[in-house]
Amino acid sequence: MTPIEQIIFLLKAVPVTLAISLLSFLFGLGLGILLAFMRIFESAPLRYLSDSYEKFFRSVPVLAVMLLLYFGVGPFIPIFKDPFFTSVFSLGIVSGANQSQIFRSAIGSVGRTQMLAAISIGLTRFKALRYVILPQALFLAVPGLGSEIALLIKDSAYSFIIGVIELMKHTDILRASQRSLILPYVSSAIIYVVMTFPVATFLDKWGSRKKKELGL
Amino acid sequence: MNKILECRNLTKIYGKVVAVNNVSIGIGKGETKVIFGPSGSGKSTLLRCLGLLEKPSSGSIYFNGLDVYATRQDLNKLRARIGFVFQDPSLFRHLTALGNIMLGLKHVIGLSESEAWRKAYEALRLVKMEDWANYYPAQLSGGQQQRVGIARAIAMDPEVVLFDEPTAALDVELKWEVIAVMKDLADRGTTMLVATHELRFAKEVADEMIFMDQGQIIEIGSPEHFFTSPNTERAKKFMAKILG
């Protein structure tokens, strides 16, 4: 393979890498918002559950989760025999813990007076969260979510270990077949940078601009 | 006289601080009452309790004669019928002026988008902010924000509107536009309970003035009474200080 062919071969794996990252991000987003809400409501068991979840999954390597689910749970629950599903799921549940923390601090900085104002017009606590607090928290969370997407794109590389055919796997295939280390690894590294850097930078800038515009 | 909103023997304690101490006041339909007194006298806390935003430590609050807490009323429903204007206008920062007003109309009262729009626009016109309907709070001056805050409260057609020092955070030039709006509301017969240091406003529109200090009501009387011959030494001193 010529170098160009090798790079094209690497690029062909990009959609799978992006699919894993995006799906696990969305899964983590839903989970993160849910966990953050559980922390706000005045129910001790919910708060405790959310707190423990966050502490646990922020301390465990995503690779350990992935391997445990694939090799440990897969034989019993067939869906975890699917490497693509298992990697999205693993990245998602770990990301949920990170995103919960991002939302928690964003919700915290929206401030108590906004909640009071929302309550004062007769909104229920849930509607106040839904229509007043969460939309503002989303803006505040955007820069943090940008870093989280970047992290997920990088961490999606772990899924090659359980057999997902994504960018890292293609890199490994080249290493083995072309007997060359420099070109595949450097090219693949550059592709990762190109995927992560613009997203994180754009969302960081956009979020900061919105924050300033709205006076959040 | 039938009171719309009333508190009896209301006390609010934060830790060891008695913010409001055994206060009983009420406001009837169409009345405008002004609460005044030094900072930390408990005005804000009293208003927040009356607005059902804080639960009193003891005492009762009556809304249209119904003991709110004893009869376990749905507080959200009642809050929708009690307007509240904050010192810091506390507009929803992610929504335009119009959006701020429409939120409650849609999600509390349940109006459709177009009905809510019409009613919100009408409220903005009352406070002369219709030209700013699509501006975000951060793009408005403090006085303009406060007028939107007032519009947000009155658009819900509340039976009473509570004002928590609505002009205290504003520069002198901006105060007047807000006071003008409040006078206009009082003239239209809006039931209003206003905590403020603006004694000239009180003189012009208040049916009754309530002087508070250290969590207690010290003296109640007409504006004329306070401006000519208040009974208590504390009220005299305070009036002199404010009027310079």
Side-chain angles (χ1 to χ4, degrees):
Chain A
M1 276 176 145
T2 65
I4 298 291
E5 283 170 333
Q6 290 188 38
I7 288 167
I8 288 170
F9 179 72
L10 289 177
L11 287 173
K12 278 184 179 159
V14 165
V16 178
T17 285
L18 287 178
I20 295 172
S21 320
L22 194 68
L23 290 174
S24 58
F25 174 75
L26 292 176
F27 179 33
L29 184 72
L31 202 56
I33 291 176
L34 182 74
L35 288 164
F37 268 29
M38 281 164 67
R39 284 281 277 258
I40 298 169
F41 274 96
E42 286 142 2
S43 145
L46 283 184
R47 228 174 26 226
Y48 182 75
L49 194 70
S50 162
D51 190 45
S52 316
Y53 183 98
E54 201 182 287
K55 285 215 170 75
F56 182 77
F57 281 107
R58 281 173 58 78
S59 319
V60 179
V62 68
L63 184 57
V65 176
M66 221 180 262
L67 291 173
L68 177 72
L69 286 177
Y70 186 68
F71 292 112
V73 181
F76 306 105
I77 304 174
I79 194 149
F80 290 112
K81 277 188 207 159
D82 181 62
F84 183 83
F85 176 83
T86 305
S87 62
V88 168
F89 188 84
S90 312
L91 288 162
I93 58 175
V94 172
S95 181
N98 294 338
Q99 296 196 48
S100 163
Q101 206 203 13
I102 293 170
F103 277 110
R104 212 151 40 76
S105 85
I107 287 170
S109 33
V110 171
R112 248 190 68 75
T113 57
Q114 289 283 307
M115 188 61 168
L116 209 58
I119 294 286
S120 82
I121 56 171
L123 287 170
T124 60
R125 222 177 136 69
F126 180 78
K127 281 187 176 173
L129 281 171
R130 159 80 182 75
Y131 295 111
V132 176
I133 307 298
L134 190 60
Q136 296 183 52
L138 270 172
F139 283 123
L140 290 171
V142 163
L145 295 179
S147 319
E148 186 62 22
I149 294 176
L151 188 74
L152 284 167
I153 292 174
K154 288 188 291 175
D155 281 0
S156 72
Y158 287 130
S159 29
F160 114 92
I161 293 174
I162 59 170
V164 181
I165 316 295
E166 43 67 80
L167 180 53
M168 207 63 222
K169 181 69 185 174
H170 272 214
T171 314
D172 195 54
I173 292 171
L174 283 185
R175 175 196 58 79
S177 63
Q178 303 299 311
R179 298 181 181 283
S180 111
L181 287 174
I182 306 294
L183 183 72
Y185 283 122
V186 170
S187 316
S188 152
I190 291 170
I191 294 172
Y192 276 109
V193 170
V194 168
M195 287 191 290
T196 54
F197 185 72
V199 179
T201 313
F202 172 77
L203 289 180
D204 187 39
K205 286 224 168 97
W206 186 85
S208 308
R209 202 187 70 217
K210 271 285 164 195
K211 192 177 154 188
K212 212 171 142 197
E213 271 174 17
L214 296 176
L216 289 170
Chain B
M1 174 165 180
N2 284 333
K3 299 290 183 196
I4 289 179
L5 191 59
E6 192 180 358
C7 65
R8 290 187 204 152
N9 309 108
L10 189 149
T11 295
K12 177 72 184 178
I13 301 170
Y14 295 105
K16 284 181 181 164
V17 182
V18 183
V20 176
N21 190 355
N22 200 26
V23 165
S24 304
I25 58 168
I27 182 154
K29 193 167 170 48
E31 286 183 318
T32 298
K33 293 195 180 183
V34 164
I35 307 179
F36 69 112
S39 306
S41 60
K43 308 183 292 284
S44 280
T45 308
L46 176 61
L47 281 182
R48 283 180 185 213
C49 287
L50 284 168
L52 309 179
L53 300 174
E54 301 241 18
K55 198 172 180 211
S57 308
S58 65
S60 328
I61 293 174
Y62 295 84
F63 186 71
N64 287 322
L66 224 56
D67 187 328
V68 172
Y69 290 104
T71 59
R72 295 176 171 275
Q73 297 292 308
D74 181 343
L75 295 184
N76 295 316
K77 289 213 173 95
L78 294 188
R79 288 186 192 117
R81 294 160 66 189
I82 303 172
F84 203 100
V85 177
F86 295 85
Q87 176 176 340
D88 140 27
S90 295
L91 296 183
F92 308 131
R93 288 165 296 198
H94 62 305
L95 296 174
T96 60
L98 202 61
N100 262 274
I101 305 170
M102 284 172 68
L103 188 69
L105 296 172
K106 282 199 293 191
H107 299 295
V108 176
I109 298 181
L111 297 187
S112 70
E113 183 82 15
S114 62
E115 287 170 324
W117 190 93
R118 244 198 317 276
K119 207 156 164 50
Y121 195 81
E122 193 51 45
L124 278 180
R125 215 160 40 203
L126 270 177
V127 300
K128 302 188 174 57
M129 282 294 292
E130 68 271 24
D131 293 340
W132 302 86
N134 295 318
Y135 284 69
Y136 286 90
Q139 299 168 304
L140 302 174
S141 74
Q144 291 172 326
Q145 286 187 38
Q146 194 53 284
R147 277 147 68 196
V148 176
I150 294 173
R152 180 174 69 183
I154 59 172
M156 306 284 290
D157 289 328
E159 294 175 48
V160 53
V161 187
L162 311 179
F163 293 79
D164 184 7
E165 300 199 43
T167 58
L170 299 177
D171 294 335
V172 181
E173 321 86 82
L174 299 178
K175 277 181 184 175
W176 299 109
E177 62 185 61
V178 174
I179 290 174
V181 165
M182 288 166 61
K183 271 186 193 158
D184 190 39
L185 287 180
D187 291 343
R188 285 164 189 271
T190 311
T191 308
M192 298 163 59
L193 183 58
V194 185
T196 185
H197 286 178
E198 299 302 328
L199 296 184
R200 283 181 193 90
F201 164 78
K203 192 177 184 181
E204 285 180 45
V205 302
D207 299 301
E208 189 174 85
M209 290 173 72
I210 300 161
F211 178 60
M212 276 185 85
D213 195 10
Q214 296 176 336
Q216 289 178 306
I217 292 181
I218 306 298
E219 193 170 344
I220 296 183
S222 65
E224 204 189 318
H225 165 79
F226 275 106
F227 275 85
T228 51
S229 55
N231 297 332
T232 57
E233 206 49 45
R234 272 194 272 184
K236 252 178 227 167
K237 269 194 186 149
F238 187 75
M239 294 292 294
K241 200 175 124 198
I242 293 289
L243 297 173

